[in-house]
Amino acid sequence: QEQKLGLTNRSFLFRVRGVRYVFRLPGAGSSAFISRQNEYLVYEALKARDITDRIVYFDPDSGIKITVYEEDCHVLRWNSAPEAEIKKMLRTLKVVHESGARIDRIFYPKAEILGYEKKFREANFSFFADYAAIRDQLLCIAEYLETVDFSPVLCHIDFIEENVLVLKDGKIRLIDWEYAAMSDPMMDLAIFIISSGYDPEDLKKLAELYFDRSLSVKEEKKLYAYAAVCGLYWSLWAKYKEGQGYIFQEPYAAKVYGYVRIYINKLAEMGFFAGKEDER
């Protein structure tokens, strides 16, 4: 039984001796974005911590994955979950960030942007209408992130609500690690808020819960910078898939790209582009 047609893969639900499992079949063209070897290494690195989807079989060559289907669980929703549940999710995420695990892929913001630009040119795909107008600002942001306190740790990168499962006993599992890379924890916080259409105020609140304190001005600026890069990365990803013929159920690329402008404006208000940013 096909469970869902995901944005990257197809998933099928099947039963063996009364236990249900999920069979993940990589989608066409997914190898352009994903190293299944890296994904496999992430699961191996986090296996002992028991916080990911429960792997039964994983072939790093084909990307075929079989996991135990989690019965009676629910997706964590930022706008309705109790704060205690959100804090538990963030503690689980911190286990990943503080695990010391390393993989080859490092998320360098500028390199990721330039990489997508190259893909678009080679495929003769069109960019967003105003992309040229904000490109210099985006590269400025990306260069900043690669110099300010850049000490990458293992991150999920696709840390969206649908990848956070709350089990019936309250345990949190973080699933679907195919986009994982070494990055800054703020990258994970940014995608969690942006992907579901929440506001900058929500992002700041999530970050303060993660760090268990108020943010400094410098940290807030860095957070918004990652949000701008995150919005661009996933909007270019979605627009590239549209160019390949994929039809989204919603205008996902345009929706996420809208956050690029929002966070560029937030940074401008903080004097980022005028060189007046407060480092306190």
Side-chain angles (χ1 to χ4, degrees):
Q1 175 189 349
E2 186 155 11
Q3 183 187 27
K4 64 178 180 177
L5 180 60
L7 301 184
T8 305
N9 312 295
R10 298 177 70 186
S11 297
F12 301 86
L13 199 60
F14 67 99
R15 187 187 301 269
V16 176
R17 297 177 180 174
V19 178
R20 293 202 287 179
Y21 300 90
V22 179
F23 177 94
R24 191 276 304 277
L25 181 67
S30 62
S31 60
F33 307 98
I34 294 164
S35 164
R36 298 298 177 183
Q37 183 65 39
N38 264 351
E39 182 187 8
Y40 172 78
L41 292 174
V42 171
Y43 280 112
E44 286 295 298
L46 297 177
K47 184 192 304 184
R49 292 170 174 83
D50 192 30
I51 56 175
T52 70
D53 28 351
R54 292 185 285 164
I55 301 293
V56 175
Y57 174 84
F58 193 116
D59 181 356
D61 294 321
S62 67
I64 289 174
K65 178 180 74 170
I66 298 174
T67 57
V68 177
Y69 178 77
E70 298 295 347
E71 305 282 358
D72 302 320
C73 68
H74 66 269
V75 169
L76 187 146
R77 300 293 182 190
W78 166 256
N79 62 356
S80 60
E83 187 170 297
E85 195 169 87
I86 291 170
K87 287 182 176 180
K88 183 180 287 188
M89 171 193 76
L90 293 174
R91 286 196 298 271
T92 305
L93 184 62
K94 273 190 173 183
V95 169
V96 178
H97 295 160
E98 297 173 0
S99 66
R102 302 192 65 83
I103 57 175
D104 289 341
R105 186 188 175 206
I106 301 177
F107 189 99
Y108 291 111
K110 185 176 180 180
E112 294 289 341
I113 293 171
L114 296 179
Y116 265 108
E117 288 184 353
K118 182 180 179 182
K119 282 186 172 74
F120 271 64
R121 287 194 299 269
E122 290 174 346
N124 200 28
F125 293 163
S126 60
F127 288 90
F128 296 96
D130 68 341
Y131 181 73
I134 63 174
R135 181 178 184 272
D136 286 349
Q137 290 175 306
L138 288 165
L139 291 179
C140 177
I141 292 169
E143 290 169 359
Y144 168 77
L145 289 175
E146 291 179 14
T147 58
V148 60
D149 303 328
F150 187 61
S151 301
V153 298
L154 182 62
C155 292
H156 192 289
I157 305 297
D158 193 20
F159 187 62
I160 61 176
E161 290 181 330
E162 288 76 11
N163 286 338
V164 181
L165 301 184
V166 184
L167 309 190
K168 59 184 177 182
D169 64 357
K171 181 180 177 63
I172 302 287
R173 287 197 180 277
L174 310 180
I175 68 171
D176 293 352
W177 290 82
E178 56 203 342
Y179 289 97
M182 306 300 293
S183 186
D184 189 283
M186 288 185 178
M187 184 72 179
D188 280 343
L189 303 181
I191 185 55
F192 186 81
I193 292 300
I194 286 175
S195 64
S196 295
Y198 300 121
D199 297 327
E201 293 75 18
D202 294 298
L203 177 56
K204 185 178 179 182
K205 181 179 178 182
L206 180 68
E208 289 178 341
L209 288 173
Y210 177 90
F211 292 107
D212 195 27
R213 57 173 173 77
S214 297
L215 300 183
S216 68
V217 174
K218 181 180 179 181
E219 288 171 330
E220 189 173 350
K221 178 182 62 177
K222 182 180 174 183
L223 180 67
Y224 296 152
Y226 268 107
V229 165
C230 184
L232 179 65
Y233 175 78
W234 285 109
S235 61
L236 289 177
W237 171 87
K239 196 163 181 62
Y240 188 83
K241 287 189 72 69
E242 287 177 350
Q244 292 179 312
Y246 188 92
I247 299 174
F248 289 85
Q249 293 181 344
E250 61 173 342
Y252 184 78
K255 182 186 86 170
V256 181
Y257 185 71
Y259 281 99
V260 178
R261 276 288 191 187
I262 288 172
Y263 287 103
I264 283 178
N265 291 340
K266 293 287 288 186
L267 288 168
E269 291 170 4
M270 300 177 77
F272 181 88
F273 301 106
K276 298 176 183 177
E277 55 270 28
D278 189 336
E279 295 296 323
R280 290 176 296 176

